[in-house]
Amino acid sequence: MAKPTLTTESGAPVADNQNSATAGVGGPLLIQDQHLLEKLARFNRERIPERVVHARGSGAYGHFEVTDDVSAYTRADFLSSVGRRTELFLRFSTVADSLGGADAVRDPRGFAVKFYTEEGNYDLVGNNTPVFFIKDPVKFPDFIHSQKRDPFTGRQEPDNVWDFWAHAPEATHQVTWLMGDRGIPASYRHMNGYGSHTYQWTNAAGEAFFVKYHFKTNQGVRSLSSEQAAELAGRDGSSHQTDLLQSIERGVYPSWTLYVQIMPAAEAAEYRFNPFDLTKVWPHADHPLQRVGRLVLDRNPDNVFAEVEQAAFSPNNFVPGIGPSPDKMLQGRLFAYADAHRYRLGVNHTQLAVNAPKATTAHTYGRDGLMAADSRGRRAKNYEPNSYGGPVETGQPLSAPLAVTGWTGTHAAAQHAKDDDFLQAGELYRLMSEDERKRLVANIAGGLSQVSREDVIEKNLAHFHAADPEYGRRVEEAVRALRED
């Protein structure tokens, strides 16, 4: 088969891709060498700003199939009937490290799903943990700064990490998750995913429910010890990417079963703790898991940059029947995620193939802007309302309205009867086997013992003591032993 002709970006054939044009043999280069200048200029610009968080990522395409009827709880069309299939893209990621970081590290993992539904794209942007370190988005930049590279030393500093946690008692639950056995997944295939936040479902009758999403891996949960992870990261920094790619290429398609917890909206106000607090889980005894369907990944991207690096997820991409809750962290992400993509990729990032709707067509009055990839709207008017047959509003909200009351201001969240920063961390500790507890204590002590300030150590120890007396005592003893060595 004849090979295609190499061309410039304008389509002109390239005569020589081995030698630059010069002023005579051995002479200086010529500025008229269009091919050389185009290649160097493009090379200088082929990287875009990486994500501040979740920079290191992998992804794959697949589908979601409904296996159980949940139409009593949501009118979302892609969940409307058993057997319904929806194409999707899923991006996994680590949180704190940069694009060149290793996969096998102790860090939460992003679990972001883009459902290409017939009512528009629905983005469910979660993690592999059901909780998070903080409950108010105003603290998020500070939290991330404490976990990333120090502005002076240029490396992650235990002083910064543990100093922030010392001043954030609500982080104790997530710290216990992170330092436990599930803190380093063996691969992306062998971890669960969670929506983490509380979301709202609305059914056809207008009844509202609050829900939490749980994606349970069908491969089984497998994790790495700190020692195993260090060895793997040194051998293959892209270990999780390698595993996902090779698994799908050989036809071993990873899958997850989606379950939800459902709470009637009327119960939320009187629930024993704040159901919108991202640092807490809903006990399954109160709200059992209800199966929804099966998610399968069966196709690798053809180009990692175009389809993984440029994939843009935003929690405010809802569809009819699904909406936000008063979860303050979720509310902050409704702005921050879309804003990050407009900065990184431009205002027209939704026109990129991986982000564009696939099962429907976007009809907006948006025009122009950097990197407009199509002639959207063509000759049509770009304002609304108009008299020329342009797209019109439906008048039907995607989800039920949220009741609000009181004065504006910087309020702390309303206190419920059992709100507590330490209770669930203690419950998680007590669920662990003795071997799991030993590893948890060793992981915490290994980091906390490196902190230079005794007052920061004491504040963190107080959190573990408050979660469970034995937990606190064992961490304290382990930290003291390491500091005396």
Side-chain angles (χ1 to χ4, degrees):
M1 179 183 294
K3 294 182 179 180
T5 298
L6 177 66
T7 73
T8 64
E9 293 186 28
S10 63
V14 173
D16 190 341
N17 193 43
Q18 316 306 317
N19 303 286
S20 302
T22 61
V25 177
L29 301 182
L30 298 178
I31 198 170
Q32 71 182 39
D33 189 342
Q34 156 67 3
H35 181 51
L36 170 66
L37 299 188
E38 183 177 86
K39 284 186 72 175
L40 293 181
R42 165 167 280 279
F43 181 76
N44 286 342
R45 293 163 175 80
E46 69 181 23
R47 293 293 176 266
I48 61 175
E50 68 175 46
R51 291 166 169 87
V52 177
V53 290
H54 296 279
R56 173 71 185 165
S58 302
Y61 293 94
H63 65 267
F64 178 78
E65 182 174 352
V66 178
T67 58
D68 295 78
D69 184 9
V70 291
S71 59
Y73 306 107
T74 178
R75 61 185 177 94
D77 184 63
F78 80 104
L79 299 175
S80 61
S81 59
V82 172
R84 185 73 176 270
R85 277 197 176 193
T86 301
E87 185 181 355
L88 60 84
F89 183 79
L90 197 158
R91 184 178 188 269
F92 305 99
S93 56
T94 55
V95 175
D97 215 340
S98 60
L99 187 58
D103 287 341
V105 294
R106 189 172 297 279
D107 199 16
R109 300 299 193 276
F111 192 100
V113 188
K114 185 182 294 291
F115 298 91
Y116 300 107
T117 91
E118 294 181 7
E119 296 179 301
N121 290 352
Y122 171 46
D123 290 353
L124 182 56
V125 187
N127 285 326
N128 73 325
T129 62
V131 293
F132 197 61
F133 298 93
I134 54 176
K135 61 181 74 174
D136 193 302
V138 76
K139 299 174 72 171
F140 187 74
D142 301 296
F143 165 63
I144 294 300
H145 288 162
S146 75
Q147 309 297 300
K148 293 184 77 72
R149 298 179 186 272
D150 181 87
F152 171 63
T153 66
R155 65 177 193 172
Q156 189 181 55
E157 292 290 348
D159 275 355
N160 302 355
V161 170
W162 290 96
D163 185 40
F164 182 88
W165 289 341
H167 292 88
E170 70 269 27
T172 308
H173 192 187
Q174 174 73 324
V175 170
T176 304
W177 268 89
L178 179 63
M179 297 299 173
D181 279 1
R182 296 193 181 190
I184 314 178
S187 78
Y188 290 132
R189 296 182 298 126
H190 293 93
M191 69 181 196
N192 294 334
Y194 301 89
S196 301
H197 296 288
T198 301
Y199 293 90
Q200 186 203 75
W201 277 5
T202 309
N203 65 16
E207 297 174 298
F209 303 86
F210 292 119
V211 301
K212 283 186 176 289
Y213 295 89
H214 301 250
F215 291 89
K216 299 291 188 178
T217 175
N218 294 321
Q219 291 69 238
V221 173
R222 287 178 49 203
S223 302
L224 302 173
S225 67
S226 297
E227 295 75 20
Q228 290 171 324
E231 190 276 332
L232 180 59
R235 178 161 42 88
D236 180 5
S238 302
S239 57
H240 290 26
Q241 163 68 12
T242 301
D243 176 86
L244 182 67
L245 174 74
Q246 293 181 350
S247 172
I248 294 175
E249 285 297 289
R250 66 177 187 266
V252 181
Y253 301 139
S255 67
W256 288 258
T257 300
L258 172 61
Y259 299 86
V260 292
Q261 290 177 283
I262 300 175
M263 175 188 292
E267 292 183 12
E270 301 302 324
Y271 194 55
R272 65 181 184 277
F273 60 82
N274 182 359
F276 311 117
D277 181 346
L278 185 56
T279 69
K280 294 181 174 62
V281 297
W282 296 357
H284 292 184
D286 294 349
H287 300 284
L289 295 179
Q290 301 189 42
R291 192 175 66 177
V292 180
R294 181 181 176 89
L295 184 157
V296 179
L297 298 180
D298 54 18
R299 180 166 67 90
N300 283 310
D302 292 320
N303 185 286
V304 172
F305 176 82
E307 298 166 89
V308 179
E309 182 64 13
Q310 292 193 129
F313 299 84
S314 178
N316 62 8
N317 287 341
F318 293 115
V319 292
I322 304 178
S325 78
D327 179 339
K328 294 176 76 172
M329 284 294 293
L330 172 60
Q331 293 282 325
R333 294 176 84 201
L334 298 182
F335 160 75
Y337 272 62
D339 185 59
H341 301 313
R342 293 184 187 106
Y343 159 68
R344 292 182 61 248
L345 303 171
V347 71
N348 288 306
H349 67 273
T350 56
Q351 296 178 24
L352 296 171
V354 69
N355 300 322
K358 295 184 183 297
T360 187
T361 302
H363 296 287
T364 79
Y365 288 98
R367 301 286 192 276
D368 309 333
L370 188 68
M371 299 299 290
D374 59 31
S375 55
R376 182 175 294 179
R378 295 182 172 84
R379 301 183 182 186
K381 306 302 180 183
N382 65 342
Y383 58 88
E384 194 280 334
N386 64 59
S387 304
Y388 297 87
V392 296
E393 63 195 20
T394 67
Q396 299 177 345
L398 300 186
S399 57
L402 299 171
V404 296
T405 186
W407 300 93
T408 60
T410 53
H411 304 291
Q415 287 294 300
H416 292 236
K418 298 290 185 180
D419 274 336
D420 180 278
D421 288 330
F422 308 109
L423 175 65
Q424 292 197 353
E427 291 177 335
L428 178 58
Y429 174 81
R430 290 185 289 275
L431 284 173
M432 295 179 180
S433 68
E434 176 57 23
D435 284 345
E436 289 175 312
R437 294 181 188 185
K438 287 179 180 178
R439 290 188 290 269
L440 169 67
V441 169
N443 291 334
I444 293 173
L448 188 54
S449 64
Q450 299 178 51
V451 173
S452 62
R453 293 181 51 145
E454 284 292 335
D455 61 323
V456 172
I457 294 175
E458 292 299 330
K459 286 178 181 176
N460 279 285
L461 291 176
H463 296 168
F464 300 122
H465 279 289
D468 183 276
E470 178 194 290
Y471 186 10
R473 175 183 58 78
R474 293 176 67 165
V475 172
E476 182 170 2
E477 289 174 352
V479 169
R480 298 303 176 213
L482 289 172
R483 289 177 70 82
E484 289 170 1
D485 285 347

